[in-house]
Amino acid sequence: MAKDGEKSEQVTCIGSGAKRIRSKYTCNPDYTPISDCFCVRFSPDDQYLAASFANGAINIYNAETGKQEFVLNSTPAGTDLAATPLPTTQLRWRPHSAQSKTKSVLISVNAEFDGQILHWHIKSGKCLHTITERGNQLFCLDYFSDGSQFATAGRDRLVRVYDEATKRLVQTLQGGDMKDTAGHSNRVFSLKY
């Protein structure tokens, strides 16, 4: 209980257990969302929190202060709705490794008709590399633990594995038809590498 003049700490009870979650900060509590959030991820060093949205934008927040520091792939105000990108459906930070010299790299996928895999350098705001999967909306991706490869999946039911250094496709995994072969036979919304 707060004493006179002191702020009361907000505690949210989750489930029936004894654990409590305390808010450290709220990213702009007066914010009215203009788009739904699809994915959030902390950077490997826990310095940043990235959030992807239905309007294609990616916001990068300082994990210590909660302040927005960078915006990637944003659509300028007044843009025609038909020109607005489809959702950025998933994000992953490239794991830190001796192989990669560039730090603070984020990879994203989107649900455009020709899905794109975008490598972002967050501090400069530049897209470092783009891979397009023709005719495939992308819903998910993940890095191999050492960052040497990443995998994507989406509408066409294929899981594609890429080499991080060359950005080349190295393997395609195909699901079954559930009659003659086992495997998934619908869109892929989640994967773990």
Side-chain angles (χ1 to χ4, degrees), residues 24-181:
K24 182 173 180 180
Y25 59 82
T26 301
C27 295
N28 193 352
D30 298 323
Y31 174 71
T32 302
I34 58 169
S35 193
D36 293 330
C37 184
F38 273 65
C39 182
V40 293
R41 290 280 175 226
F42 280 99
S43 61
D45 60 5
D46 294 327
Q47 185 177 0
Y48 298 107
L49 176 70
S52 69
F53 295 92
N55 65 357
I58 301 167
N59 293 355
I60 310 295
Y61 300 93
N62 180 306
E64 183 64 31
T65 66
K67 299 225 183 299
Q68 181 177 300
E69 293 204 5
F70 309 102
V71 178
L72 309 172
N73 206 32
S74 66
T75 304
T79 302
D80 180 25
L81 187 59
T84 303
L86 287 175
T88 297
T89 51
Q90 196 150 83
L91 306 165
R92 290 290 186 266
W93 293 89
R94 183 170 66 195
H96 292 160
S97 71
Q99 298 170 336
S100 60
K101 295 175 188 158
T102 309
K103 304 293 183 203
S104 302
V105 174
L106 183 73
I107 188 173
S108 67
V109 294
N110 62 38
E112 298 283 340
F113 179 73
D114 289 330
Q116 295 178 323
I117 306 158
L118 303 162
H119 284 77
W120 298 94
H121 182 255
I122 63 152
K123 292 184 179 181
S124 70
K126 292 183 180 176
C127 181
L128 303 173
H129 197 271
T130 301
I131 301 168
T132 301
E133 291 188 10
R134 300 271 176 230
N136 186 29
Q137 292 178 307
L138 295 170
F139 301 130
C140 54
L141 80 145
D142 199 13
Y143 268 103
F144 185 62
S145 61
D146 69 2
S148 63
Q149 294 182 332
F150 61 92
T152 66
R155 187 179 63 110
D156 71 359
R157 305 181 313 267
L158 301 175
V159 175
R160 292 176 176 87
V161 178
Y162 292 88
D163 179 83
E164 172 61 27
T166 65
K167 311 295 188 273
R168 293 185 195 267
L169 181 66
V170 294
Q171 188 173 12
T172 301
L173 306 171
Q174 187 169 339
D177 61 9
M178 297 307 287
K179 294 176 187 169
D180 300 320
T181 58

